[in-house]
Amino acid sequence: MFELSPRHRKVREAAREVAARVDAFAAEADESTEVHAGVLDALRASGLARHVVPAAHGGESETLDPLTITVVREALMYSSAHLDSLFAMQGIGSYSLAVGGTDELRRAWLPRVAALEAIAGVALTEPDVGSDLRAVTTTVDRVAGGVRVHGRKSFITNGGAADFYCVLGREGDDGYSMVLVPADAPGLTVTRGSDLIAPHILGELDFDGVVVPEENRLGVPRKAFSLMLQTLAVFRVSVAGSAVGLAQAALDEALRHVTTREQFGRPLIHLGAVAQNVALSWTEVETARAIAYRAAALAGSDPLARLDMSSIAKVGATEAAGRVVDRSLQVMGRFGLVRGSKIERLYRNARPLRVYEGATEVLLDSLARRLAKGVS
């Protein structure tokens, strides 16, 4: 069993307190495709967003700690996917700014991100580009007035809610650049994205020759693809924590049902198949938690070097969450099928975890290539 340090346990308790405050309206928040005011207020008051911004710009620690972010996401997701997403995206959306922005740009935005006075977004995927981000067609060009961004981004979390977007585009024949584009930049149009089985803040972003100052570049021109990789290296493992939180919530919901509902003269927990299902779910939750914590701790020293372990944790925990929530719904029988029930909400919220920040198949393919090279 992986033991958290006193500091990590303290942060986890703070996150659990926020989750408990949100729990009363979590179902409403998880149906929202706009920022839920109650969730925003609770998260802002908690100060938890300071854990995804460096201390030099209003954050908590000198460098971001993947284990802290992972345990926070576990606690938040236990209550609400909307709460978890709002917290996580403050870091995912601003990390390339924290690493690659100018001092002036960081001073302008990062303290506001830490205080949740500005909502962050990152624009990577496109209508025809998902996992293969090297195929992006959005262009970044140097022009007389600064840097011009032209193209379309699709399925962008916080699209329409964010105050700025860190945008990945192609510059020249073989270069990739990132640029910070404020949400109110002339030429940027945001429309509402698709409705998902688990409601989510999504937007479609059209950059019609948007021009921003040269100082809004993030990282080295034409060599900024690494910024996106660094973001994944720090935050991918935290998805495993989110999956553990959801799986624990599903298991607890199932346990409440099977210990109070009687069939054939005794509680369901005493029926062999039911008992084995919840015991197996408990086993998977604890296994997923252990690998998530271990991978997050390893990522703290060198996130890029530990990306394989982060991918393993992400795959293992998200796939386990899918099995646990399915098993939990099954032992609840017809009550698990009720629209609007907590287990139904968890069932829908579990599914996207296996797709975003690296779909299971993409990550397994990458891990297999690493094994073929003799890396283990």
Side-chain angles (χ1 to χ4, degrees):
M1 183 69 66
F2 187 100
E3 292 295 333
L4 293 176
S5 69
R7 179 175 65 85
H8 288 110
R9 289 198 296 270
K10 183 177 179 180
V11 172
R12 182 177 63 182
E13 287 308 309
R16 285 175 172 175
E17 290 175 6
V18 177
R21 289 198 292 273
V22 167
D23 204 52
F25 47 85
E28 176 184 286
D30 283 5
E31 289 296 320
S32 180
T33 55
E34 298 178 351
V35 175
H36 188 280
V39 170
L40 178 61
D41 288 345
L43 189 57
R44 181 182 286 155
S46 74
L48 286 174
R50 294 179 62 218
H51 290 289
V52 295
V53 173
H57 300 286
E60 183 68 27
S61 305
E62 184 177 346
T63 58
L64 302 195
D65 176 25
L67 182 55
T68 294
I69 298 167
T70 297
V71 298
V72 169
R73 293 195 65 181
E74 177 189 353
L76 300 185
M77 187 62 156
Y78 184 88
S79 172
S80 166
H82 190 88
L83 173 62
D84 170 61
S85 179
L86 189 59
F87 166 78
M89 282 306 302
Q90 286 300 92
I92 296 169
S94 69
Y95 190 72
S96 54
L97 165 62
V99 174
T102 64
D103 288 341
E104 182 179 359
L105 201 61
R106 287 184 288 189
R107 283 194 298 268
W109 286 107
L110 289 178
R112 296 175 61 199
V113 171
L116 258 173
E117 294 171 355
I119 293 177
V122 59
L124 304 177
T125 57
E126 299 179 359
D128 296 318
V129 177
S131 299
D132 183 14
L133 289 176
R134 292 190 182 276
V136 295
T137 60
T138 297
T139 57
V140 175
D141 301 297
R142 180 176 280 113
V143 294
V147 181
R148 180 177 59 201
V149 181
H150 191 87
R152 182 178 176 86
K153 294 294 183 178
S154 181
F155 270 68
I156 303 305
T157 297
N158 285 350
D163 292 281
F164 67 89
Y165 303 93
C166 296
V167 185
L168 176 68
R170 184 183 293 273
E171 185 167 10
D173 294 334
D174 57 358
Y176 297 89
S177 295
M178 292 195 74
V179 180
L180 185 145
V181 178
D184 60 359
L188 171 58
T189 303
V190 183
T191 55
R192 179 175 167 176
S194 303
D195 289 329
L196 305 184
I197 58 172
H200 192 66
I201 305 173
L202 280 182
E204 306 288 309
L205 279 55
D206 282 291
F207 299 88
D208 186 10
V210 175
V211 177
V212 295
E214 178 73 23
E215 292 73 21
N216 280 36
R217 281 188 181 274
L218 306 175
V220 179
R222 301 182 64 209
K223 298 184 183 297
F225 199 83
S226 62
L227 288 180
M228 183 272 298
L229 294 179
Q230 290 177 62
T231 301
L232 293 178
V234 171
F235 287 94
R236 175 176 287 162
V237 70
S238 73
V239 184
S242 181
V244 170
L246 186 144
Q248 184 69 64
L251 174 58
D252 289 351
E253 191 71 6
L255 281 172
R256 277 190 286 270
H257 181 82
V258 301
T259 54
T260 58
R261 170 98 173 145
E262 291 192 1
Q263 290 287 281
F264 308 107
R266 54 182 177 168
L268 285 171
I269 188 67
H270 296 300
L271 298 180
V274 171
Q276 290 175 15
N277 272 335
V278 293
L280 180 56
S281 290
W282 184 23
T283 301
E284 292 205 272
V285 170
E286 292 298 339
T287 302
R289 179 177 287 119
I291 187 62
Y293 286 5
R294 178 171 182 265
L298 289 172
S301 59
D302 190 343
L304 276 173
R306 299 296 187 172
L307 189 54
D308 286 348
M309 280 301 299
S310 294
S311 296
I312 289 169
K314 198 270 184 183
V315 170
T318 58
E319 292 291 328
R323 292 190 297 270
V324 169
V325 74
D326 185 72
R327 213 178 281 128
S328 298
L329 187 151
Q330 185 70 19
V331 301
M332 294 176 68
R334 65 181 186 271
F335 298 99
L337 302 174
V338 175
R339 181 74 169 94
S341 66
K342 182 173 181 177
I343 195 65
E344 183 260 354
R345 173 163 59 95
L346 292 170
Y347 190 85
R348 289 185 289 110
N349 284 337
R351 195 60 187 85
L353 292 170
R354 295 158 59 194
V355 175
Y356 76 83
E357 286 221 35
T360 292
E361 294 77 11
V362 173
L363 297 186
L364 289 177
D365 190 52
S366 175
L367 291 169
R369 289 197 301 271
R370 295 283 285 167
L371 285 174
K373 294 178 180 178
V375 178
S376 61

